[in-house]
Amino acid sequence: MNKSVQIAIADDHPVVLEALDNELRKLPGVSVAILAETGDALLAALQQTSCEVIISDFTMQTAEREESDGFGLISRLRQDYPKAKLIIYTAMSNSAVVKRLYRMGIFSVISKKEKTSELIAAVETAQNGKQVYFPSSLRGELELSWAHGDAFAQTKDLTISEMEVVRLFVGGCSLGDICDRLSRTPSTVSTHKNNAMRKLGLSTDADLIKYAYATGLI
């Protein structure tokens, strides 16, 4: 039998909030305690009401600019409410971003392209006390990465040099421009770029640019 939980739902689209509220209230043992349309509203409400499960969109408006990319808000939630199961319900589907979110210790990432039943399954799994939930569409890839630890290890963070090269590249600089600006040889710049893409699990330049936009890198 699933244990009783209080849930907070945050999304900047009222229609999504209402739909999720209606669906989740049907689940046995589920009480929707918070509905928030901004990150600030979510944080304020959680100070007053304890929730075992927090469902939030990836990008939520907050007063702190550094939280606008999503990672800042999620880090704040993880820090302030480490025992809560955090489910990110988002239209974002970049695999590198998804893996980074799992590495941050969230419970699940559910795409808004999935059926509502996937989100319900994540909530029910959280009720059962599990530590992580992978959606069916990504389960094979993520479970393999989880088992090997390759996509979730903290050592996969980019070095300062790799980050410099990535920022310049996605900002429109050519290989020659990057070499001139960083006083590096072409082979060194290429190595930094390739290492960064390998660590992020990206295979093409287009994927790298999409990752940069999704994470607020540019």
Side-chain angles (χ1 to χ4, degrees):
M1 181 176 180
N2 293 344
K3 70 175 184 178
S4 297
V5 295
Q6 288 203 133
I7 292 182
I9 307 174
D11 197 288
D12 54 5
H13 295 88
V15 173
V16 175
L17 273 181
E18 182 178 353
L20 294 183
D21 183 26
N22 290 336
E23 286 296 324
L24 295 178
R25 285 184 185 276
K26 300 175 184 177
L27 299 180
V30 169
S31 173
V32 179
I34 296 173
L35 295 175
E37 294 185 19
T38 68
D40 289 329
L42 174 62
L43 293 171
L46 286 170
Q47 290 180 351
Q48 304 298 322
T49 305
S50 176
C51 290
E52 290 80 19
V53 178
I54 302 171
I55 301 172
S56 176
D57 198 349
F58 177 63
T59 303
M60 294 289 294
Q61 180 182 351
T62 64
E64 299 294 333
R65 186 175 180 180
E66 63 266 22
E67 293 181 352
S68 62
D69 67 353
F71 287 121
L73 175 60
I74 292 166
S75 296
R76 175 83 174 273
L77 291 170
R78 290 287 302 141
Q79 177 180 337
D80 293 351
Y81 308 100
K83 293 183 179 180
K85 301 293 178 62
L86 180 55
I87 299 173
I88 303 304
Y89 188 57
T90 178
M92 180 276 304
S93 58
N94 185 286
S95 62
V97 176
V98 170
K99 290 177 180 179
R100 180 177 172 183
L101 289 170
Y102 277 107
R103 192 179 67 196
M104 292 174 71
I106 67 147
F107 180 73
S108 186
V109 180
I110 303 297
S111 171
K112 291 181 178 178
K113 297 178 182 179
E114 302 273 7
K115 294 181 179 179
T116 308
S117 58
E118 194 69 70
L119 179 62
I120 291 174
V123 171
E124 291 177 334
T125 303
Q127 285 181 279
N128 289 328
K130 302 298 183 181
Q131 296 303 309
V132 67
Y133 178 82
F134 299 131
S136 57
S137 60
L138 297 174
R139 192 162 297 155
E141 175 186 355
L142 292 176
E143 285 182 342
L144 181 62
S145 295
W146 184 271
H148 292 169
D150 58 347
F152 303 100
Q154 292 292 344
T155 55
K156 294 301 180 181
D157 288 340
L158 303 188
T159 65
I160 294 176
S161 295
E162 290 164 355
M163 184 64 75
E164 287 178 334
V165 170
V166 169
R167 285 185 183 276
L168 291 172
F169 176 76
V170 299
C173 292
S174 66
L175 177 62
D177 292 335
I178 298 174
C179 292
D180 292 339
R181 295 181 66 167
L182 299 181
S183 299
R184 300 286 192 274
T185 65
S187 62
T188 298
V189 170
S190 294
T191 297
H192 286 323
K193 175 174 171 288
N194 292 336
N195 285 343
M197 292 178 66
R198 176 178 52 79
K199 289 180 179 180
L200 296 172
L202 306 174
S203 57
T204 68
D205 290 347
D207 289 338
L208 182 59
I209 294 172
K210 289 178 182 178
Y211 175 86
Y213 274 106
T215 60
L217 190 61
I218 57 175

